[in-house]
Amino acid sequence: MRVTQTTVSQTSSDPSTHDLKAVADAIRANDRFVVVTHENPDGDALGSMLGVALGLRALGKDVVTYLSGGGPMPGEYRFLDLSEIRRELPEDLEERVLLAVDCANERRIGPDDNGLERAKLVLDVDHHHDNSHFGKVNLIVDDASSTAEIVRDLFRELEIALTPEIAEALYVGLVTDTGRFQYSNTTPKALRLAAELVEAGADVHGIFRYVYETVQFSKLKLLARALERAQLFEGGRLVVSYLLKDDFGDVGAEEPYSEGIIDWLRAVERSEMVALIREPPRNEGPTRRVSLRSSHDEVDVSAIARKVGGGGHRQAAGFSSERPIGDIIDFIRREFALATHSADSKST
């Protein structure tokens, strides 16, 4: 089944039945799928991917899941059933619909740049406001709290019942992307969804314990290095730190252990923007990855990231770079100064 491109881009986190229908109809009309998400997945990426896979299987679909790269899965999500996630695209991709969740652009799916061309059909379900609309059918709800929230709306359209397994996967996506319901994307709809998922069987205490209270000792040592290198700029309004490639080996940490370290930086008093530069301990892929966070909506870190080929949300974004750490810090400082000057000018 080949279709012309349909873009369903919403500015409300409560998409109508008509808006969901294009994706739902494509799912109903096909039987074989490969569900993918972005490399170096976070909780929303993994939770949405697993939730979608479980939901499609409940409809009797043939589903495989794919994650690019050979790096280990983030330790805090290993309580989920990740055993069936493949690290190579299926050989019969031409016969499958590729359904991407939580991917702002096609580059984040992985290095196999002809995967989208090979797939029978590409569906793009996401909540990043700068999504590149790489699918033939795109459902982008840019003010949804998480992709997991959009998946729940899609399941409602498809009349897929919430099982405890689906509820747990979606709750992981929801709770992590809202920062335990503390970020500004914690809407009334997000809180209602949390209650619905708990009623359906999501284990709130168990998820909290695994995601936030099961920390490897080597991750704490990696955190210590990032905190030791943290620097304040612009009178403390900007906080920047970095992790070197050797740091991971020195403390015995895997690459995913750097997940969440930036949240410690954003807790610094008076900080308006924080950045963590890290050198992945693998030989493949970019030399450096940069995560950006802002504490208020006036500083759009996704706009900064897009200037160097990255992207994300207004308050959480990132990019990759081959430039030296010093040059990256200089770039971040310049862009922060420009962003805050613009914001200050608008407020006067």
Side-chain angles (χ1 to χ4, degrees):
M1 172 180 160
R2 298 277 182 181
V3 300
T4 56
Q5 183 170 13
T6 301
T7 297
V8 186
S9 185
Q10 295 300 303
T11 56
S12 168
S13 58
D14 189 17
S16 69
T17 300
H18 175 74
D19 297 331
L20 294 170
K21 194 172 185 300
V23 174
D25 284 349
I27 289 174
R28 293 188 186 101
N30 290 275
D31 295 319
R32 308 183 73 190
F33 294 81
V34 53
V35 183
V36 308
T37 191
H38 62 76
E39 58 186 348
N40 299 304
D42 56 9
D44 193 25
L46 285 175
S48 296
M49 179 172 68
L50 294 178
V52 166
L54 289 167
L56 294 183
R57 286 172 184 145
L59 294 176
K61 309 295 185 180
D62 178 343
V63 183
V64 298
T65 50
Y66 164 75
L67 179 67
S68 70
M73 296 291 183
E76 57 266 45
Y77 305 122
R78 289 176 184 168
F79 69 97
L80 297 170
D81 185 4
L82 309 177
S83 60
E84 295 188 4
I85 297 178
R86 300 186 184 187
R87 309 312 290 268
E88 294 182 357
L89 287 168
E91 294 182 359
D92 61 350
L93 182 59
E94 290 81 1
E95 302 172 12
R96 293 182 181 272
V97 172
L98 188 149
L99 198 166
V101 293
D102 204 44
C103 289
N105 58 66
E106 57 272 33
R107 296 188 305 276
R108 298 214 66 196
I109 296 176
D112 189 349
D113 56 7
N114 69 348
L116 298 182
E117 296 297 324
R118 290 172 53 207
K120 178 181 179 182
L121 173 69
V122 177
L123 308 179
D124 175 18
V125 177
D126 185 35
H127 73 131
H128 293 86
H129 75 282
D130 59 351
N131 185 282
S132 63
H133 300 88
F134 58 85
K136 292 293 184 180
V137 183
N138 301 281
L139 176 59
I140 315 301
V141 187
D142 60 15
D143 67 346
S145 65
S146 56
T147 299
E149 180 181 301
I150 308 171
V151 171
R152 175 61 187 117
D153 289 328
L154 182 60
F155 281 4
R156 190 175 289 110
E157 171 70 13
L158 290 166
E159 298 182 343
I160 297 173
L162 291 177
T163 63
E165 294 77 17
I166 291 175
E168 184 161 271
L170 297 185
Y171 188 87
V172 167
L174 177 64
V175 73
T176 54
D177 248 32
T178 58
R180 289 178 273 185
F181 307 107
Q182 297 177 89
Y183 298 161
S184 60
N185 60 342
T186 305
T187 62
K189 180 177 180 180
L191 294 172
R192 287 192 294 268
L193 174 57
E196 182 185 15
L197 296 175
V198 173
E199 289 174 344
D203 180 359
V204 173
H205 177 66
I207 292 171
F208 178 82
R209 185 177 71 252
Y210 280 112
V211 175
Y212 298 108
E213 292 188 334
T214 305
V215 180
Q216 300 85 356
F217 183 62
S218 54
K219 180 171 183 173
L220 291 179
K221 296 174 74 175
L222 194 66
L223 169 63
R225 297 210 173 188
L227 295 179
E228 177 64 26
R229 295 196 183 108
Q231 298 175 272
L232 299 178
F233 300 102
E234 309 300 330
R237 299 169 71 189
L238 172 64
V239 183
V240 181
S241 189
Y242 60 90
L243 290 169
L244 300 175
K245 184 175 183 178
D246 289 343
D247 290 334
F248 291 87
D250 290 346
V251 303
E254 299 175 338
E255 181 178 357
Y257 289 12
S258 60
E259 178 76 20
I261 287 179
I262 195 169
D263 294 323
W264 289 85
L265 301 178
R266 74 187 292 173
V268 174
E269 182 183 17
R270 295 193 304 274
S271 65
E272 297 178 15
M273 176 176 153
V274 300
L276 177 64
I277 306 164
R278 61 193 188 280
E279 297 179 344
R282 295 178 291 143
N283 293 325
E284 71 273 14
T287 302
R288 295 171 187 90
R289 298 182 184 275
V290 184
S291 297
L292 306 174
R293 300 289 187 272
S294 66
S295 59
H296 54 76
D297 202 49
E298 284 74 16
V299 179
D300 182 359
V301 292
S302 70
I304 296 174
R306 284 197 300 274
K307 291 185 177 182
V308 282
H313 302 291
R314 288 186 64 87
Q315 293 184 271
F319 63 91
S320 299
S321 179
E322 301 297 323
R323 297 165 68 180
I325 289 176
D327 289 355
I328 297 173
I329 293 176
D330 289 343
F331 166 76
I332 292 170
R333 293 185 65 183
R334 287 195 303 271
E335 292 303 319
F336 175 77
L338 288 172
T340 52
H341 176 74
S342 176
D344 292 343
S345 298
K346 291 179 181 178
S347 63
T348 58

